[in-house]
Amino acid sequence: MTREQIRHDNTSNTSNTHNEPPIDVLAEQWLCVKALITSNMAELRRIEDRMLPFLDQKEEGTVTTLTKFGRKISVNNRLNYSLDGAKLMKVRHQIPKNLLPLRAKEVLDETRLRFLRANEPETYKIIAHAISAKPGKATLTIKVNEDD
């Protein structure tokens, strides 16, 4: 087999030379498992929705129910809070500073960081000492070619 044939075989996924399954086989397996997960998650949500009316709960926090067969089922309800800055400015003066339920938090602006890395390398070198980065989990998206 020539180098050109090997290169073509490796890029076309029609054959392999190291006992690896072709990428299309792995992609098909991924699509099947992803469909199972999606289906199972939907069924899990339906069962949870049927269970919730029969379990002890409170508006916010965790409550555990003990079943007659000894299972402990915990329900954790959450409230998602958001802040309207304009409304806060209207009432802020009415609340003592020590009772104001706010805190300042500095957050890394990744867009500006990337700008510094690309356009201001000297400034980036300074701030880089205070920043750590680790690889995140890769995500896959597979689309089936409907033309086949």
Side-chain angles (χ1 to χ4, degrees), residues 8-62:
H8 174 73
D9 285 345
N10 285 338
T11 58
S12 69
N13 298 320
T14 57
S15 172
N16 56 54
T17 58
H18 303 293
N19 295 326
E20 300 98 354
I23 194 68
D24 286 317
V25 170
L26 293 173
E28 187 61 28
Q29 290 172 349
W30 186 92
L31 286 167
C32 290
V33 171
K34 182 77 171 173
L36 282 171
I37 290 169
T38 301
S39 173
N40 288 336
M41 289 302 293
E43 182 61 20
L44 186 63
R45 298 293 176 251
R46 284 190 289 275
I47 293 169
E48 288 173 353
D49 288 344
R50 290 176 51 204
M51 293 172 67
L52 283 170
F54 305 103
L55 297 169
D56 296 331
Q57 305 181 52
K58 59 184 176 180
E59 181 182 33
E60 186 174 26
T62 303

